[in-house]
Amino acid sequence: MKTLIAYYSWSGNTKRVAEVIHQRLPQSDLFEIKVDPADAYSADMMATAYADERQKRTGHWPRIDQAPDLSQYDQILVGGPVWTWDLASPVIAFLKQIQGYTGLVRPFYTSVGNSQRYAGWFKRRAGNLRLGQDYDDAHDKLTQWLTAIQ
């Protein structure tokens, strides 16, 4: 099974998890969801939170790099940080970009404690994408999750 691991990482935490997943899935490629420099987020957490909330309120998502050709992948693992119990705006923009993808999409995320509602938000934001089992941020379950999805 060929897997794309697409991730957005504001602080580097999600990037580290994505790299571990990539190392453990032999038939996988990494894709970093990068925000256009004109839409880049501040290094200040509060300024980033305000920008994210404004984007969610207005529906004006950050511009991101184009995803690679998805036809070669059986599944996409989509990762990002939890921002106010929800997906980070760049992850939402990515999900909007890949509407029409017919393979399986599985979320994973990193959080400092506000992840209780993330799976529900992911499902709502996924549109017509086919969803699989999510990774609930418990790092001790990562090996079990990866075994289950291969």
Side-chain angles (χ1 to χ4, degrees), residues 5-67:
I5 303 161
Y7 69 92
Y8 171 75
S9 189
W10 178 75
S11 67
N13 290 336
T14 307
K15 179 179 181 173
R16 286 188 287 278
V17 172
E19 288 171 344
V20 168
I21 293 170
H22 177 56
Q23 290 171 357
R24 294 187 184 179
L25 290 179
Q27 296 293 320
S28 67
D29 295 326
L30 277 175
F31 173 72
E32 182 177 3
I33 301 167
K34 293 182 183 175
V35 174
D36 183 288
D39 293 333
Y41 295 97
S42 168
D44 177 80
M45 186 184 307
M46 291 309 295
T48 295
Y50 291 135
D52 178 66
E53 287 300 317
R54 183 176 55 255
Q55 289 167 338
K56 288 174 180 164
R57 191 174 52 254
T58 63
H60 291 100
W61 309 110
R63 290 168 291 188
I64 59 172
D65 288 351
Q66 184 65 39

Side-chain angles (χ1 to χ4, degrees), residues 2-4 29 67-76 98 100-103:
K2 183 79 172 178
T3 301
L4 178 66
D29 295 326
D69 176 13
L70 302 178
S71 66
Q72 62 183 314
Y73 298 102
D74 302 298
Q75 67 178 345
I76 303 173
I98 66 168
Y101 171 70
T102 58

